[in-house]
Amino acid sequence: MRNIFRLLLLATVLFSSLGTVKAQTTAQRLFGRLQKIQAKGIMFGHQDDPFYGLTWDYVKGRSDTRDLTGDYPAVMGFDLGGIELGDDKDLDGVPFRLIHDEAVAQNARGGVVTFSWHPRNPLTDGNAWDVSDSTVVRSILPGGVKHEKFQLWMKRVADFLLTLTDKKGNKMPIIFRPWHENNGSWFWWGQKLCSDEEFKGLWNMLQDYLVQRGLDNLLFCYSPNLDGNWTTERFLKRYPGDDRVAIIGEDAYQWGTEADFVKQTTADLTFIKHFAKEHNRLFALTECGYKNNPDSTWWSRVLKPILDKFGVLYFLPWRNYKKEYFGPSKDEPSGKNFLLLYKSKNILFSKDIRKIR
């Protein structure tokens, strides 16, 4: 009976957003709004956008995106890594009080907020990239030696997310994207570090806990890494299920040649767009970029044709940091080229989506 109740609860949070209900949750309303936005164009997103850039740190109101275009991103990404330990700052040194304030500000201006989570390794006490032990996921599932420890970690995540409210005290709509890039093996929840069933158990455990804490404002996003060779059979092995996923994403960076990036991303988005349509899910390019972009025409010549072809919900370049940047800036060579995307009618920023409800 308890399992049936849990599934019914999740179905109410996720699946009923696709139908007609008398009283929609915050997550369901967000789903409907995102459908309307996607009909208008493709949202630009950026990780850690209001905290720092190529030449500055922690200047209130500043943003590399805003400096370049005069507008904020339509989507802002933030990370919760470190919250599980009770830290004051996330894994990139951003104070959680500022993450709270900027997430609330982004929501107030009509923007979209997405959270990822890079939790430390609960078994070894290493970081999220510590893959020295292949029993980590097993250790935190029910009956595992670290299960109680991870229960506390999930509580701290939920406690923080519950503080994200608007001026009226209503819970903010949030895209929540846990356990990303799981088809790789560089995180302790990756492909070679746990079985498919253990991964699904990990996903379900976290999602069930957050939903039972009353977080009916979360749209869950499942986002594997660039693959280039997806099949339905392979994709379904770790896919949590339509009753648990509202958005299907992919993280796709150009690490190698331009030709390989275009070929693999095109192949993956062809598959994901078809899969998302068949399953009535939204789909997005949840992380992307070209590290320390050496190509001054990359945005319009390489990425824009891919965006135009597939019409993703949003694309989110990773953070801009002095030594490692992925997004546009007036202080780097491709910034001027990015303005072609800003001026394009189908690439949406904060002002473009403000009135879409």
Side-chain angles (χ1 to χ4, degrees):
M1 180 63 71
R2 185 177 180 180
N3 288 336
I4 293 173
F5 173 77
R6 183 173 65 237
L7 291 174
L8 287 173
L9 184 60
L10 284 167
T12 300
V13 172
L14 294 172
F15 188 74
S16 62
S17 63
L18 313 182
T20 301
V21 292
K22 291 182 179 179
Q24 290 189 323
T25 65
T26 302
Q28 291 160 2
R29 289 192 294 273
L30 175 60
F31 190 95
R33 183 187 182 212
L34 294 178
Q35 287 180 312
K36 293 176 183 177
I37 292 173
Q38 189 166 27
K40 299 286 186 180
I42 302 162
M43 291 186 290
F44 168 72
H46 193 210
Q47 184 75 11
D48 279 359
D49 184 78
F51 302 130
Y52 47 78
L54 266 65
T55 61
W56 60 277
D57 295 290
Y58 304 104
V59 179
K60 187 173 179 58
R62 193 169 181 186
S63 149
D64 271 357
T65 303
R66 191 183 186 196
D67 284 355
L68 178 64
T69 68
D71 198 0
Y72 287 109
V75 181
M76 282 191 185
F78 307 104
D79 197 82
L80 293 173
I83 198 77
E84 68 277 1
L85 299 183
D87 291 348
D88 294 329
K89 298 179 180 180
D90 78 353
L91 76 169
D92 292 317
V94 183
F96 282 110
R97 61 177 178 80
L98 290 184
I99 293 176
H100 170 279
D101 292 349
E102 291 296 343
V104 169
Q106 172 71 352
N107 178 66
R109 69 173 69 98
V112 176
V113 171
T114 178
F115 274 93
S116 52
W117 184 28
H118 290 80
R120 309 293 169 82
N121 187 314
L123 185 62
T124 68
D125 295 324
N127 61 27
W129 292 265
D130 181 355
V131 293
S132 60
D133 193 304
S134 63
T135 65
V136 182
V137 173
R138 193 181 316 156
S139 77
I140 62 176
L141 292 175
V145 295
K146 298 297 180 180
H147 180 63
E148 288 189 13
K149 177 180 182 178
F150 202 75
Q151 289 284 308
L152 175 61
W153 286 18
M154 293 191 295
K155 179 183 183 299
R156 287 171 173 161
V157 168
D159 288 346
F160 178 81
L161 292 175
L162 285 166
T163 69
L164 298 173
T165 59
D166 63 20
K167 291 182 178 180
K168 296 181 180 179
N170 299 314
K171 285 172 283 189
M172 278 173 40
I174 293 169
I175 297 172
F176 187 57
R177 190 174 65 93
W179 315 129
H180 66 300
E181 300 178 9
N182 68 85
N183 56 320
S185 297
W186 43 85
F187 295 126
W188 55 258
W189 57 86
Q191 185 76 50
K192 296 179 181 178
L193 283 303
C194 61
S195 69
D196 297 335
E197 290 308 309
E198 287 171 342
F199 176 79
K200 288 183 178 180
L202 175 67
W203 180 285
N204 296 351
M205 180 177 68
L206 175 61
Q207 186 174 32
D208 289 353
Y209 181 85
L210 296 178
V211 170
Q212 288 165 7
R213 284 291 307 274
L215 285 159
D216 60 354
N217 56 321
L218 306 181
L219 275 188
F220 286 83
C221 177
Y222 175 73
S223 63
N225 193 63
L226 185 67
D227 183 271
N229 194 34
W230 282 120
T231 64
T232 301
E233 182 181 5
R234 284 187 58 235
F235 195 82
L236 284 174
K237 284 184 176 181
R238 293 205 165 202
Y239 179 62
D242 290 346
D243 61 334
R244 291 184 174 274
V245 173
I247 302 173
I248 300 170
E250 170 151 294
D251 295 358
Y253 293 90
Q254 182 176 327
W255 297 114
T257 67
E258 175 187 311
D260 283 345
F261 171 75
V262 172
K263 180 181 178 181
Q264 292 176 349
T265 305
T266 298
D268 280 7
L269 289 182
T270 297
F271 171 83
I272 290 173
K273 182 175 183 177
H274 177 73
F275 185 93
K277 184 177 181 180
E278 280 197 330
H279 293 253
N280 202 17
R281 307 295 100 178
L282 297 167
F283 72 104
L285 198 53
T286 42
E287 291 184 29
C288 65
Y290 192 1
K291 181 180 175 180
N292 299 347
N293 195 341
D295 183 347
S296 63
T297 65
W298 188 81
W299 295 105
S300 67
R301 187 180 56 81
V302 179
L303 186 62
K304 182 65 160 52
I306 295 173
L307 300 175
D308 290 344
K309 181 174 182 178
F310 295 102
V312 297
L313 173 65
Y314 68 87
F315 67 108
L316 189 146
W318 205 241
R319 67 187 190 131
N320 282 2
Y321 183 65
K322 294 179 180 66
K323 297 180 181 179
E324 180 182 272
Y325 61 89
F326 294 90
S329 167
K330 65 181 180 61
D331 298 310
E332 54 88 24
S334 73
K336 185 176 180 180
N337 180 254
F338 182 81
L339 289 175
L340 295 177
L341 273 67
Y342 178 71
K343 295 174 183 177
S344 179
K345 291 182 179 179
N346 70 328
I347 305 298
L348 308 178
F349 289 74
S350 178
K351 293 176 184 176
D352 300 315
I353 68 167
R354 187 169 299 167
K355 295 181 180 181
I356 302 175
R357 296 294 177 182

